[in-house]
Every structure is written in structure tokens, then in C-alpha cells.
Amino acid sequence: MSTLGFERHNHARCIRSAVDAADALCATRGLRFTPLRRRVLELIWQCHRPVGAYDLLDQLKSERDGAAPPTAYRALDFLMENGLIHRIESLNAFVGCTHPDAPHQSQFLICTSCHRVAELSDPAIERQIDTKASGAGFQPERQTLEVTGTCDACAVTR
Amino acid sequence: MSTLGFERHNHARCIRSAVDAADALCATRGLRFTPLRRRVLELIWQCHRPVGAYDLLDQLKSERDGAAPPTAYRALDFLMENGLIHRIESLNAFVGCTHPDAPHQSQFLICTSCHRVAELSDPAIERQIDTKASGAGFQPERQTLEVTGTCDACAVTR
DNA sequence: TTGACATAGGTTATACTATAACACTATATA
DNA sequence: TATATAGTGTTATAGTATAACCTATGTCAA
Ligand SMILES: [Zn+2]
Ligand SMILES: [Zn+2]
Ligand SMILES: [Zn+2]
Ligand SMILES: [Zn+2]
């Protein structure tokens, strides 16, 4: 079995289901899932690697006139605020959320060899961190957990 | 009791003990704790808030001629490589390590109100994350855990 | 229907963060 | 002292993010 589980998967379906889920979610919440926001989400889902804002912007520039940094960042802000993507802090890059329906903290395994990223979402870890913080008199709001290392596919190849 | 424990503490002693510890550590490991590196560590310890590289650089510029970004970044790199400071990824800023002797992962509570930061270093959390990652076939190397929220001092004040 | 308001996006400029590359100096050690 | 290595000076540039102001579009009440 593979960590990140990217071998042999139908990635076109991957993208489509992410966008469909976003569509449904925005409809439910009364959010405007505009063509730009939809397109940015699609671009982020092109692969399971984090995408930099300026990589994204290069794509956008080739598709629409006058795309500039705010074009990308505003869409990214919208997608993040609504839990459709996550920001990988240690990489200054963005990745699609695999389960935007349920609220959860940011937990990632990041392979330093192939640069692919897997989202964890382990509620037990989330709770333990929360408990620890509260026990220290701190009111936790947001958790960011990023683990770098080697995914099993890359470990085998070595 | 206060989360971050910053009320009524002798901060001058705080700085001195951090620098002394670094001195000892470098001596033990045969590292060159140069005047620049020492000064940068002192500047980072001026407060318990993360310090940006360019804030640091502004200080350095006022103290030595020709200080430029590499002046700051090289010292920061040295201090990070040797566990004397940590980088707070979500803030692009740096903070002194409270126990550079023992190897450990990066775990922080970050108050969004007063911007002070407390280092956790909870081995149980470290282990749980490690176990989870390994269980997924991933070989973890580095963990970054950043929890934002409100420290108790700020919670009271509200 | 229309006007007032709010949201989204266009456009230009700028701020903030980090590294590349090469020259020169200090230190270690043989 | 000769040699190698590590540290720093210096200049330039790359990469990331936001401010500010304007225009277009959608929403909704009068
Ligand atoms: Zn997610
Ligand atoms: Zn990999
Ligand atoms: Zn530490
Ligand atoms: Zn606080």
C-alpha cells in the first residue's frame, strides 16, 4: 500500500469531484462560485503537489487578459476562507482540500523527494493538540501541522 | 498561571542565559559562534515575539556598515541549523529556541492578539504524529506544528 | 423599473521575503 | 608559512504578497 496513494488513480475524476463538491458547497452556503474561482480551484487540482501563487498566475495570464497578482490571491483567499484549499505554510503554496465538507485543521505529509502532499486529518491528533494548548491556558483557534519526509514510493525507488 | 509565562520575568537574564547556552553548545560541538551570530541571537531574544529577517536587518544596519540581507540570513541559517532558533513558518519570522540542548520538533502556541509565542515541545504529541506518519508508510523527518489562538493574558483583557 | 448598496474583478504600484554570485578576509591545521 | 575552509562584504535579482483605486456586475428594496 502506498502512503500518498497516487499510483493508478483517475486524476480527471479527482479534479471533477473536487470542483463538483465545491459547487455544491457554495450553493448550500450561498457563496458565489464565479468562473475565476472555479478555474483557480481546477488549476490547483491539476496535480497533488502544492501550487505557488505565481505558477497559478502564469496559467491565468495565458487564459485571460490582465491577470495580475491580485487576480490569483483574491481567488485563493476565497477558496481558503471557505475551506476548499489549504495553504502549506512551509512552502508558500496551496493545495486542494480533500474533504471540504467537514471542518478540520491543516495536517499534511510532504514528500521532499517528489513534492507530493497528502492530507491527514486525524481527529485524535487534533484533539491531543487542542487539549495540550487548552491545558496551558491557551485558547486554540487554528492548527497547522506539516510533516516533511519521504513517501513510500520515493523510499522504494532509492 | 499564565500560558506564555511572560509576566514578571527578568528578561535580561532570559537573553543572557540563551546566549550562554548557545556559547556552551557551540564550544561543545566545535562551531564558530562569531560576533555576528551571537549578536543576531541576542537580537532575536530581545522579546518573546517572532522577529522578521528584515527587522533584524534594520537593527544590524544601525550597528555595522554594509549589513545586507545575506548578513541576516546567513546568521539565521547557522542558528537554525544548530537548533538555536526556530522559524515560524506561518509568520516568516524567527524565535529563540528555549531548549537547544535536546533535539526536538517545532511546536508553538502563537497569540494572534499580543503576537507572543510559546514553545511547547511535547514529546507525546511528537510521537503520536510520528506514529501516524509511519503508519501511512511515510518516513517523517521534520514536524512543524503551529497553533494560533489567544493566550490567557489576552483572553482576560478582552 | 430604478437607484442604492455590496461584492467581484481590473489595474498599477509597491512592500516584504529570500537567494545567487563573486570577491575578500579570517581562521584552522599541517 | 602555505593551504584549505569557513565566514562575511557587496551587488544584483528572484519570489511572495498587499495597498489603493477604479469599473463592472449582481442584489434588493422602494
Ligand atoms: Zn482539508
Ligand atoms: Zn515522494
Ligand atoms: Zn526549540
Ligand atoms: Zn497574547
Side-chain angles (χ1 to χ4, degrees):
Chain A
M1 172 228 163
S2 170
T3 308
L4 305 187
F6 295 137
E7 296 71 18
R8 299 189 308 277
H9 82 289
N10 181 338
H11 191 60
R13 183 181 300 165
C14 228
I15 301 175
R16 209 174 325 115
S17 84
V19 175
D20 287 351
D23 224 335
L25 184 150
C26 289
T28 302
R29 299 187 196 165
L31 302 170
R32 291 171 57 187
F33 197 42
T34 64
L36 173 62
R37 290 165 175 178
R38 173 186 303 269
R39 183 61 185 141
V40 168
L41 187 61
E42 278 172 11
L43 288 172
I44 284 180
W45 273 101
Q46 287 310 304
C47 64
H48 290 275
R49 295 177 178 83
V51 180
Y54 280 74
D55 292 337
L56 205 56
L57 179 54
D58 286 342
Q59 288 285 325
L60 290 176
K61 276 178 175 164
S62 71
E63 299 176 2
R64 49 169 63 209
D65 282 358
T71 313
Y73 281 103
R74 283 167 182 157
L76 290 169
D77 286 346
F78 170 85
L79 296 171
M80 273 197 295
E81 276 163 16
N82 295 291
L84 296 167
I85 62 172
H86 295 282
R87 179 182 161 80
I88 308 291
E89 301 290 351
S90 58
L91 298 174
N92 297 329
F94 305 84
V95 70
C97 176
T98 51
H99 48 296
D101 330 284
H104 57 278
Q105 302 297 333
S106 180
Q107 300 180 344
F108 291 96
L109 302 180
I110 306 167
C111 179
T112 53
S113 170
C114 65
H115 301 108
R116 286 186 295 202
V117 155
E119 183 165 359
L120 279 185
S121 293
D122 181 315
I125 292 176
E126 226 180 277
R127 271 196 308 276
Q128 187 171 359
I129 293 169
D130 223 80
T131 301
K132 175 74 180 185
S134 301
F138 189 86
Q139 296 174 4
E141 273 160 25
R142 202 169 58 93
Q143 298 177 11
T144 300
L145 173 59
E146 298 175 10
V147 182
T148 58
T150 311
C151 77
D152 56 0
C154 288
V156 168
T157 315
R158 296 223 166 165
Chain B
M1 171 226 161
S2 170
T3 306
L4 306 188
F6 294 138
E7 296 71 19
R8 299 189 308 277
H9 81 289
N10 180 339
H11 191 60
R13 183 181 300 166
C14 228
I15 301 175
R16 208 173 327 115
S17 85
V19 175
D20 287 352
D23 224 335
L25 184 151
C26 290
T28 301
R29 299 189 196 164
L31 302 169
R32 290 172 58 189
F33 197 42
T34 63
L36 173 61
R37 290 166 176 178
R38 173 186 302 267
R39 184 61 185 142
V40 167
L41 186 61
E42 277 172 12
L43 288 172
I44 285 181
W45 273 101
Q46 286 311 303
C47 64
H48 290 274
R49 295 176 177 82
V51 180
Y54 280 74
D55 292 337
L56 205 56
L57 179 54
D58 287 342
Q59 288 286 325
L60 290 176
K61 275 177 175 165
S62 72
E63 299 176 1
R64 49 169 64 208
D65 282 358
T71 313
Y73 281 104
R74 284 168 183 157
L76 290 168
D77 286 347
F78 170 86
L79 296 171
M80 273 197 295
E81 276 162 17
N82 295 291
L84 296 166
I85 61 172
H86 295 282
R87 179 182 160 81
I88 308 292
E89 301 290 351
S90 58
L91 297 175
N92 297 329
F94 306 83
V95 69
C97 175
T98 52
H99 48 297
D101 330 285
H104 58 277
Q105 302 297 333
S106 181
Q107 300 180 343
F108 291 97
L109 303 179
I110 306 167
C111 179
T112 53
S113 170
C114 65
H115 300 109
R116 284 186 296 201
V117 155
E119 183 165 0
L120 279 185
S121 292
D122 181 316
I125 292 176
E126 225 180 277
R127 270 196 308 276
Q128 186 171 357
I129 293 168
D130 222 80
T131 301
K132 175 75 180 182
S134 301
F138 189 87
Q139 296 174 4
E141 274 161 23
R142 202 170 57 94
Q143 299 176 10
T144 300
L145 172 59
E146 297 176 10
V147 182
T148 58
T150 311
C151 77
D152 57 359
C154 289
V156 168
T157 316
R158 295 222 164 164

